[in-house]
Amino acid sequence: MTRKVYTAKNAVASGPYSHAVDAGEFIFLSGQTAMNTVGAEKMTGDIGAQTKQCFTNLFEVLEAGNLTPDDVVKVNVYLTDMGNFTAMNEVYKTFFVDPYPARTCVAVLALPLGAEVEIELIAKRSN
């Protein structure tokens, strides 16, 4: 089987994975951090800027698969500090409209490349 994959134009993978894999009706997007972007070191400590960059990277992947934020059905957010939840949420809510996708948000000990937030998505193609 050959996987059909999609890639963000302005983000780099920090390991051996695809930015997204097309599984037919569902598209699974790998987690993105702001640190996968050139100039990301300037965002350290700015959870709002990091969250925005995560979505910029993810939405580039959606676009490569001919999808939009309206096709997102599930979001997983990983934070290294739950004290950043409110700041992340303020940015998060600007990227979706009601009814919002299902979401999980969990605290983790650490993230790759020193990131403070990582976000992954699952999207579903409209029929």
Side-chain angles (χ1 to χ4, degrees):
M1 173 181 117
T2 301
R3 289 183 188 91
K4 185 174 184 179
V5 300
Y6 305 108
T7 303
K9 296 177 286 190
N10 297 308
V12 295
S14 56
Y17 63 88
S18 300
H19 286 162
V21 174
D22 190 322
E25 192 174 8
F26 290 95
I27 294 77
F28 296 87
L29 284 78
S30 296
Q32 287 286 322
T33 74
M35 303 310 169
N36 292 105
T37 309
V38 175
E41 62 278 353
K42 297 174 187 161
M43 292 184 225
T44 300
D46 186 343
I47 199 69
Q50 287 188 44
T51 301
K52 182 177 180 181
Q53 189 61 54
C54 288
F55 279 113
T56 298
N57 294 351
L58 288 162
F59 288 0
E60 283 183 9
V61 178
L62 284 175
E63 185 179 331
N66 294 315
L67 298 161
T68 72
D70 291 338
D71 297 309
V72 175
V73 294
K74 179 71 166 92
V75 180
N76 292 329
V77 179
Y78 305 94
L79 294 170
T80 58
D81 181 351
M82 271 301 175
N84 288 328
F85 179 81
T86 301
M88 176 280 299
N89 213 40
E90 287 301 309
V91 175
Y92 177 98
K93 69 183 180 183
T94 67
F95 285 96
F96 297 105
V97 297
D98 196 16
Y100 298 101
R103 181 178 84 181
T104 299
C105 183
V106 296
V108 297
L109 181 61
L111 289 167
L113 307 175
E116 295 163 277
V117 59
E118 181 171 355
I119 302 172
E120 65 182 19
L121 307 176
I122 299 172
K124 183 177 184 289
R125 290 200 186 282
S126 302
N127 292 333

